[in-house]
Amino acid sequence: MSFRVDPDRSLKDALRGADHALTGIWVCSASALNAEICAGAGFDWLFIDAEHSPNDLQNVLAQLQAVRGYPTIPVVRPPVNDPVIIKQFLDLGVQSLIIPMVNDAQQAAAAVAACNYPPLGVRGVGSALARSARWNRIPDYLTRAAETITVMVQIESAEAVGNVADIVATEGIDGIFIGPSDLAASMGVIGQQGHPDVVAGVIKSIQAAKSAGKYAGVNAFDQASARKYIEAGADYVGVGADVALLARATEALAASFKGESQSSAPASY
């Protein structure tokens, strides 16, 4: 029995055919059950985070399996731009990656290389052992793997914003994902994602990606900010997280029985 390469499970393929900005939700609980609940909620993409969340290879694998039957596109962020770690996630069957903390074109090129087999890159060959190739049940996987993989790199520092034109010009990069929280920290205004300098950096990065013919995404849990960035041209937006929704909903429920007002919390992490 053979299986086909499935490029329509990749974020770039969903973006290519989209007539609206794609909204996504983070899954940070390391729970396959939560991932499946979120996958059935109607979001376009699902952001499985392994940088700031307790997700490891086993947890990510379980979540990929749990959401496989849903139309939402799973996207995974590894903890670091490292070829060994990226290789492991790819071999699990991850098809869409957001690589964190990419500050210049050299780091962007390294991310691309990690996601491609030679001669285009340095990804190690282990298809007979890997879910990505369905254990060599997908014909010609080694020569066609690049068709199924989306490589997004994260713009989340003032340095990256300064280098964004070079980053989006990097061959093999499908687009960028902008992180206003870390961007604010790098600009000296930590916790102020809505600071004018941060917003200007986000919009500059969106415009640079669009000018280069690449996709632009941004994290914006605040709905007003999300809509502003969509109007500015963002193709995909992360608009919430499972753990944040659970935190706010449980706080509100507890407060409602104590006659208390719900405490305020930041609109993003």
Side-chain angles (χ1 to χ4, degrees):
M1 179 182 295
S2 64
F3 294 79
R4 66 188 180 93
V5 174
D6 199 7
D8 62 350
R9 294 292 291 175
S10 181
L11 181 59
K12 65 184 177 186
D13 295 283
L15 288 166
R16 187 179 297 126
D19 58 3
H20 62 279
L22 304 186
T23 54
I25 185 169
W26 295 57
V27 179
C28 304
S29 58
S31 165
L33 181 61
N34 284 355
E36 185 172 4
I37 291 170
C38 291
F43 292 101
D44 300 297
W45 59 287
L46 195 76
F47 193 156
I48 302 171
D49 178 41
E51 184 187 18
H52 292 295
S53 306
N55 278 309
D56 57 21
L57 293 172
Q58 292 285 349
N59 292 332
V60 172
L61 173 60
Q63 289 169 79
L64 293 175
Q65 293 169 329
V67 307
R68 186 63 182 86
Y70 295 84
T72 189
I73 303 294
V75 180
V76 174
R77 178 168 69 176
V80 65
N81 185 8
D82 179 271
V84 174
I85 294 174
I86 290 172
K87 170 181 63 180
Q88 290 179 303
F89 280 105
L90 290 172
D91 284 348
L92 286 183
V94 174
Q95 292 181 274
S96 302
L97 287 160
I98 291 178
I99 310 298
M101 290 292 179
V102 171
N103 294 314
D104 56 38
Q106 183 177 1
Q107 293 174 3
V112 172
C115 294
N116 283 277
Y117 290 120
L120 299 177
V122 296
R123 180 183 175 186
V125 178
S127 56
L129 313 175
R131 179 177 179 268
S132 57
R134 297 303 186 269
W135 304 277
N136 273 349
R137 290 171 178 163
I138 295 178
D140 303 321
Y141 174 79
L142 294 176
T143 58
R144 300 180 58 205
E147 299 174 19
T148 74
I149 296 171
T150 297
V151 184
M152 302 289 191
V153 297
Q154 197 154 359
I155 305 295
E156 47 188 336
S157 70
E159 180 185 1
V161 171
N163 293 324
V164 67
D166 292 333
I167 291 172
V168 296
T170 303
E171 186 175 358
I173 291 295
D174 294 299
I176 59 173
F177 185 74
I178 308 154
S181 295
D182 276 304
L183 180 55
S186 76
M187 290 181 166
V189 290
I190 191 167
Q192 300 180 51
Q193 294 88 355
H195 190 282
D197 292 344
V198 177
V199 173
V202 172
I203 292 176
K204 175 185 176 180
S205 300
I206 292 172
Q207 292 174 342
K210 304 298 285 185
S211 295
K214 304 295 177 69
Y215 298 111
V218 62
N219 193 50
F221 289 5
D222 173 67
Q223 286 199 25
S225 297
R227 296 183 193 284
K228 177 190 296 184
Y229 292 140
I230 290 171
E231 290 176 1
D235 299 293
Y236 65 111
V237 184
V239 297
D242 61 341
V243 291
L245 291 169
L246 179 61
R248 301 294 84 79
T250 52
E251 290 162 4
L253 181 61
S256 72
F257 281 94
K258 296 180 179 179
E260 301 173 352
S261 60
Q262 185 180 357
S263 61
S264 61
S268 188
Y269 69 84

